[in-house]
């Protein structure tokens, strides 16, 4: 038996618990910013780990396992939790200790899970989380009695308060000093219905003995739900929340965006001033100024909007509203052939389809999951925001829609809302079509979901969540987008114009040749050759199209004072082209990473190609109709 | 609702006492008498039963229908002892209840 001395190796501890038990808040409180996210070997389940030191100086590696109600493992997430608990997860060292986190305000289901975990024979500790809220609500828990009845150490914790984890940390030290127990004899089997019943009865019996709870619901949750889950008012509030979210994305982010924009312009000018315009150094100057700085800047400028969007999603999630939204939307989604649980993955897809598609793992049925995965890229992801913002800013007048009470609703915000609505409508329509055409007559799996009590979102959780999102976006901007920008600059700048050239430099470039080669295909939908050039690298990521247009027009206008991109577009594109471009982007499948994640999550190249094919078809058709109609109406 | 009757007629033990949670109105309070699971939404009867058990629908637990959706009064939000669970009436029909008060 290995002694778990701190000198030898880090103690490995895993957090297990029901969804909504505050496990992630506890994880954040224990590890702070010392977290890293990776994948479990061979599967796409996210593996969240963090480091901490106990009061006695032991180094601990803490793993946050996906939430589950039992070890029966129906979804890929739950399989990982089960295998980690049993110590059979391939390629990962089994944890030395399991910390079962239970919501002290709602112990019933948590206690049943503890009893199930106890059967595995693994070293186990129960942490009663949110102990402060439980006390506040008059819930009295006799932890000594509970520990005795369960035969386990029991501690209370308050993840969101300083010092709230002291008892847990002290207990970890105490348990680490004990000699490691003999590994359990194998032969764990998933409980059947009779087994689950017996466990719940035992949990109820222990609960009755050790916990005294007033027989009433949380007053705040009751009052809020009276409105937020009201059949009519609830839907109105949900729509209002979504509308406010999109207005905020536009309005709140603007000052920060202007600042970033100005910063990159100044940086470009400063670098430009250092180098001569002619010769080899001129090429370097063009590369730095037009390729690197303009390209990365035109993408980074959207960081504030993405953060505002994620702030909303994280707030709603922490607050406990997301499950309510799924409840309200269940029948509407069901009408489109989607599972009620698909709402959260689809809402996440507003930020990015990749986490959205990964979040579909909460849907147990493969068919329901596939339907959600196929339409998730139609939800307007944040990578489309740069494209929409650019075109709307250049072509849609910035004025209120109405006067008086409606004076605060901007026309630009309304168009943005319309584009989002088009994405949602097409996602619902497509899932309806897939359900009819691909899986005729197959029923949707039952919708069952716990509605947690409302909780105040915690600044630390929000900050850590936003930081992780920002990091992911910056990494994308720094790698794939940067690489594509270099390629685009190269194509737009090589070969250099001959001596005494009269035309703009770009007309001698490879990009010009490529753009003209694809132009005939794009002419019926109103796209010019510059768009053709931008669409090709835009395959890598949607927002690259903006940066590419930026580079193409910057190189084109290199001779003159480079105007801002929006201004250049409004001078050179017709309104019909602009609208067709927007219509294209509602459907455009242009994100290699999304297609990659579809391939990985469905385990099939075929579904990725299918997604690509149907989206390109829709995008072309939508742009064609938009362009032709707009031209017929005189916007050409 | 047609799907509820389908589920009931498909069940040989139709004569059991009380009634099912799927047919209960909003505001209903009762106690769970038993589960009578059936195959639903692609799940076998045994699997539906286990999922209901995992969410706390166990004999003796107190239930109350707190909320219902706009369309077809579906889904419903049910208080099951200390927790609130959302599910559709179709599956709630597997939970047999007797009224309290």
């Amino acid at each position: 038996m290995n002694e778990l001395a701190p000198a030898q190796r880090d103690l490995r501890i895993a957090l297990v618990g029901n969804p909504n038990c505050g496990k992630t808040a506890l994880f954040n409180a224990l590890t702070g910013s010392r977290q890293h996210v990776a994948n479990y070997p061979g599967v796409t389940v996210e593996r969240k780990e963090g480091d901490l030191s106990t009061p006695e100086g032991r180094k601990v590696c803490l793993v946050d396992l996906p939430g589950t109600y039992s070890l029966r493992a129906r979804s890929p997430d739950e399989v990982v939790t089960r295998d980690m608990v049993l110590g059979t997860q391939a390629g990962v060292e089994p944890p030395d200790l399991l910390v079962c986190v239970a919501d002290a305000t709602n112990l019933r289901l948590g206690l049943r899970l503890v009893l199930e975990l106890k059967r595995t024979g693994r070293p186990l500790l129960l942490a009663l989380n949110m102990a402060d809220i439980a006390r506040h609500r008059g819930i009295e828990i006799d932890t000594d009695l509970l520990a005795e009845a369960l035969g386990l150490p029991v501690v209370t914790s308050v993840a969101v308060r300083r010092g709230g984890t002291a008892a847990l940390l002290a207990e970890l030290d105490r348990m680490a000093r004990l000699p490691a127990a003999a590994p359990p004899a194998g032969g764990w089997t998933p409980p059947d219905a009779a087994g689950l019943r017996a466990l719940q009865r035992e949990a109820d019996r222990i609960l009755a003995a050790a916990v005294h709870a007033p027989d009433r619901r949380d007053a705040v949750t009751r009052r809020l739900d009276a409105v937020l889950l009201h059949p009519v008012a609830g839907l109105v509030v949900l729509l209002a929340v979504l509308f406010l979210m999109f207005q905020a994305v536009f309005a709140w982010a603007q000052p920060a965006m202007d600042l970033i924009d100005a910063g990159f312009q100044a940086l470009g000018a400063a670098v430009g001033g250092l180098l001569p315009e002619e010769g080899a150094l001129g090429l370097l100057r063009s590369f730095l100024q037009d390729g690197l700085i303009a390209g990365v800047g035109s993408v980074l400028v959207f960081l504030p909007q993405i953060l505002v969007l994620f702030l909303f999603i994280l707030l709603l999630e922490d607050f406990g509203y997301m499950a309510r939204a799924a409840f309200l939307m269940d029948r509407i989604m069901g009408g489109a052939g989607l599972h009620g649980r698909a709402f959260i993955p689809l809402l996440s897809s507003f930020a990015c389809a990749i986490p959205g598609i990964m979040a579909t793992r909460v849907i147990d049925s493969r068919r329901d999951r596939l339907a959600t995965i196929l339409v998730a890229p139609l939800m307007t992801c944040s990578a489309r925001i740069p494209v929409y913002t650019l075109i709307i800013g250049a072509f849609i007048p910035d004025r209120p829609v109405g006067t008086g009470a409606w004076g605060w609703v901007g026309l630009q915000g309304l168009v943005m809302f319309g584009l989002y609505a088009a994405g949602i409508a097409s996602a619902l329509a497509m899932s309806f079509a897939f359900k009819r055409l691909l899986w005729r007559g197959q029923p949707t799996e039952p919708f069952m979901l716990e509605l947690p009590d409302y909780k105040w979102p915690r600044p630390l959780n929000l900050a850590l969540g936003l930081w992780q999102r920002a990091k992911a976006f910056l990494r994308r901007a720094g790698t794939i987008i940067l690489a594509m920008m270099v390629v685009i600059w190269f194509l737009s700048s090589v070969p250099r114009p001959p001596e005494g050239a009269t035309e703009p430099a770009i007309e001698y470039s490879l990009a010009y040749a490529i753009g003209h080669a694809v132009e005939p295909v794009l002419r019926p939908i109103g796209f010019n050759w510059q768009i053709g050039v931008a669409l090709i690298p835009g395959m890598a990521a949607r927002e690259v199209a903006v940066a590419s247009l930026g580079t193409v027009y910057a190189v084109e206008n290199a001779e003159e004072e480079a105007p801002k991109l929006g201004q250049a577009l409004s001078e050179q594109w017709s309104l019909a082209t602009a609208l067709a471009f927007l219509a294209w982007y509602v459907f455009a499948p242009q994100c290699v990473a999304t297609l990659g994640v579809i391939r990985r999550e469905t385990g099939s190249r075929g579904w990725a190609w299918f997604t690509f094919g149907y989206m390109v078809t829709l995008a072309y058709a939508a742009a064609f109709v938009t362009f032709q109609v707009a031209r017929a109406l005189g916007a050409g | 609702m047609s799907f509820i009757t389908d589920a009931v007629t498909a069940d040989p033990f139709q004569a059991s006492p009380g009634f099912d949670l799927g047919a209960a109105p909003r505001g209903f309070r009762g106690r769970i008498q038993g589960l009578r699971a059936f195959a639903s939404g692609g799940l076998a009867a045994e699997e539906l039963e286990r999922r209901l058990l995992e969410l706390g629908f166990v004999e003796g637990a107190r239930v109350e229908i707190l909320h219902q959706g706009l369309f077809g009064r579906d889904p419903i939000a049910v208080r099951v002892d200390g927790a609130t669970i959302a599910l559709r009436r179709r599956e709630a029909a597997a939970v047999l209840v007797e009224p309290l008060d």
Side-chain angles (χ1 to χ4, degrees):
Chain A
M1 291 298 94
N2 52 337
E3 187 78 26
L4 301 172
Q8 289 178 0
R9 64 187 189 83
D10 290 359
L11 195 60
R12 298 186 52 85
I13 296 178
L15 294 181
V16 206
N18 292 156
N20 310 313
C21 68
K23 193 164 52 63
T24 301
L26 188 60
F27 178 75
N28 286 341
L30 287 168
T31 60
S33 56
R34 289 151 298 170
Q35 302 183 2
H36 28 106
V37 180
N39 276 352
Y40 287 96
V43 285
T44 49
V45 177
E46 222 174 56
R47 172 177 173 187
K48 272 179 86 174
E49 288 187 347
D51 302 317
L52 66 113
S53 296
T54 64
E56 289 181 13
R58 279 184 185 76
K59 294 251 178 293
V60 173
C61 173
L62 192 67
V63 189
D64 187 15
L65 295 177
T68 183
Y69 287 102
S70 90
L71 288 182
R72 287 198 308 114
R74 300 178 308 245
S75 61
D77 266 12
E78 291 176 350
V79 168
V80 164
T81 299
R82 181 197 64 196
D83 290 350
M84 283 294 285
V85 164
L86 295 175
T88 55
Q89 174 71 44
V92 181
E93 235 182 301
D96 303 307
L97 175 66
L98 299 172
V99 174
C100 181
V101 186
D103 175 357
T105 66
N106 179 14
L107 265 180
R108 189 163 175 257
L109 301 180
L111 274 193
R112 202 192 51 70
L113 180 64
V114 177
L115 290 171
E116 205 180 320
L117 288 170
K118 209 183 134 196
R119 300 225 156 162
T120 64
R122 310 276 309 167
L124 181 62
L125 155 69
L126 174 63
L128 301 175
N129 199 26
M130 305 194 232
D132 56 335
I133 304 178
R135 228 181 347 262
H136 183 71
R137 287 197 199 153
I139 300 171
E140 290 160 28
I141 304 174
D142 186 336
T143 46
D144 294 336
L145 196 61
L146 197 59
E148 195 190 311
L150 290 169
L152 297 172
V154 176
V155 295
T156 57
S157 63
V158 183
V160 294
R161 200 150 298 164
R162 191 178 289 273
T165 55
L168 174 60
L169 288 169
E171 185 60 28
L172 293 182
D173 267 333
R174 194 191 66 79
M175 291 187 77
R177 279 197 303 269
L178 302 174
W188 178 87
T189 50
D192 59 4
L196 286 170
R197 253 194 196 86
L199 286 172
Q200 186 63 63
R201 290 233 170 88
E202 196 184 342
D204 286 345
R205 193 180 51 75
I206 295 172
L207 206 60
V211 178
H212 176 75
D215 186 24
R216 60 161 190 266
R217 291 169 58 207
D218 172 40
V220 175
T221 301
R222 198 182 60 225
R223 275 186 221 131
L224 278 176
D225 272 348
V227 178
L228 298 182
L229 287 185
H230 185 275
V232 180
L235 284 171
V236 173
V237 171
L238 176 61
L239 262 181
V241 166
L242 294 179
F243 187 72
L244 176 74
M245 180 160 120
F246 297 131
Q247 285 284 334
V249 161
F250 253 73
W252 299 1
Q254 202 54 53
M257 292 175 69
D258 291 343
L259 211 66
I260 296 177
D261 198 32
F264 272 94
Q265 296 230 340
L267 183 64
V271 170
L274 293 176
L275 295 164
E277 284 193 22
E278 301 303 323
L281 281 177
L283 197 63
L284 178 67
R285 173 179 177 273
S286 161
F287 170 70
L288 290 175
Q289 199 175 358
D290 304 329
L292 218 57
I293 297 172
V296 172
S298 60
V299 175
L300 275 191
V301 71
F302 298 100
L303 182 63
Q305 289 189 327
I306 288 162
L307 290 183
V308 170
L309 187 70
F310 270 118
L311 178 68
F312 264 86
I313 289 180
L314 287 169
L315 269 173
L316 293 177
E317 220 161 57
D318 274 17
F319 184 53
Y321 187 71
M322 283 300 202
R324 267 79 181 178
F327 176 85
L328 292 168
M329 293 300 292
D330 175 59
R331 277 305 282 256
I332 298 167
M333 313 260 299
L338 285 167
H339 193 270
R341 282 199 176 190
F343 183 74
I344 294 166
L346 291 183
L347 195 61
S348 309
S349 299
F350 279 128
C352 174
I354 294 167
I357 288 168
M358 287 166 64
T360 62
R361 294 193 210 109
V362 299
I363 305 171
D364 307 322
S365 147
R366 182 176 159 79
R367 217 171 33 243
D368 295 336
R369 201 172 150 225
L370 199 51
T372 312
I373 288 175
L374 291 182
V375 301
L378 287 174
M379 306 307 275
T380 303
C381 68
S382 52
R384 284 173 175 103
I385 296 178
V387 181
Y388 289 174
T389 317
L390 175 70
I391 306 298
I392 289 175
F395 290 91
I396 308 294
D398 183 15
R399 61 176 176 79
V401 175
T403 49
W406 290 99
W408 63 279
V409 180
L411 184 60
Q412 294 188 334
L414 194 69
V415 171
M416 190 72 157
F417 185 67
L419 290 167
Y420 273 85
I424 298 167
S426 53
L428 294 180
M430 287 317 291
S431 71
F432 183 77
F434 291 148
K435 237 13 199 202
R436 284 296 156 99
L437 300 173
L438 299 177
W439 304 292
R440 219 168 311 171
Q442 309 248 30
T444 304
E445 263 206 8
F447 168 73
M448 294 183 192
L449 191 65
E450 187 177 356
L451 304 178
D453 286 344
Y454 292 105
K455 275 171 211 83
W456 278 115
R458 296 295 167 169
L460 175 70
N461 288 335
L462 292 177
L464 281 172
L466 276 182
W467 167 237
Q468 280 163 7
R469 272 25 171 238
K471 225 164 53 178
F473 177 78
L474 292 176
R475 194 178 302 135
R476 254 162 77 78
T479 53
I480 189 165
I481 295 175
L482 181 62
M484 292 318 294
M485 291 330 303
V486 172
V487 170
I488 273 293
W489 169 84
F490 179 81
L491 290 178
S492 327
S493 308
V494 173
R496 300 286 283 169
E499 287 295 322
T502 49
E503 300 299 314
I506 192 147
E507 298 205 0
Y508 301 93
S509 69
L510 289 170
Y512 187 78
I514 295 170
H516 278 276
V518 295
E519 201 191 1
V521 185
L522 300 177
R523 199 172 296 128
I525 60 175
F527 288 8
N528 56 24
W529 70 265
Q530 288 94 337
I531 301 180
V533 174
L535 286 182
I536 297 167
M539 267 311 300
R542 291 182 180 90
E543 62 270 46
V544 167
V546 168
S548 306
L549 284 172
T551 306
V552 170
Y553 280 106
V555 174
E556 190 172 358
N557 295 312
E559 304 304 312
E560 312 135 38
E561 184 70 18
K564 293 185 92 171
L565 181 56
Q567 200 185 328
L569 295 186
S570 65
E571 283 161 10
Q572 302 202 18
W573 290 12
S574 68
L575 180 59
T577 293
L579 294 176
F581 194 65
L582 287 178
W584 170 276
Y585 263 93
V586 170
F587 301 101
Q590 287 169 297
C591 178
V592 169
T594 299
L595 295 173
V597 100
I598 290 177
R599 193 189 98 73
R600 211 170 50 172
E601 292 286 322
T602 59
S604 131
R605 215 174 279 268
W607 285 117
W609 280 112
F610 177 81
T611 309
F612 180 76
Y614 99 77
M615 290 181 76
V616 166
T617 312
L618 283 182
Y620 195 90
F624 179 78
V625 170
T626 306
F627 181 66
Q628 300 297 343
V629 168
R631 214 166 48 160
L633 293 177
Chain B
M1 291 213 164
S2 64
F3 53 75
I4 292 177
T5 33
D6 286 352
V8 171
T9 44
D11 189 285
F13 305 102
Q14 206 179 349
S16 47
F19 56 100
D20 68 64
L21 190 63
R26 193 171 80 85
F28 169 86
R29 287 160 185 265
R31 194 177 288 282
I32 298 178
Q33 286 191 312
L35 297 186
R36 186 193 50 186
F38 39 81
S40 178
L43 297 188
E46 155 87 5
E47 179 59 26
L48 177 62
E49 183 177 5
R50 287 197 287 188
R51 290 197 190 185
L52 287 167
L53 288 167
E54 278 170 10
L55 292 172
F57 290 95
V58 172
E59 286 77 1
R62 292 176 56 175
V63 290
E64 178 183 353
I65 299 187
L66 300 175
H67 305 281
Q68 59 190 18
L70 177 63
F71 309 101
R73 302 181 301 134
D74 210 21
I76 50 175
V78 184
R79 190 76 180 164
V80 190
D81 278 347
T84 307
I85 309 291
L87 77 170
R88 292 195 190 139
R89 288 186 176 272
R90 179 194 174 95
E91 278 78 42
V95 180
L96 299 177
V97 287
E98 56 175 341
L100 285 177
D101 302 331

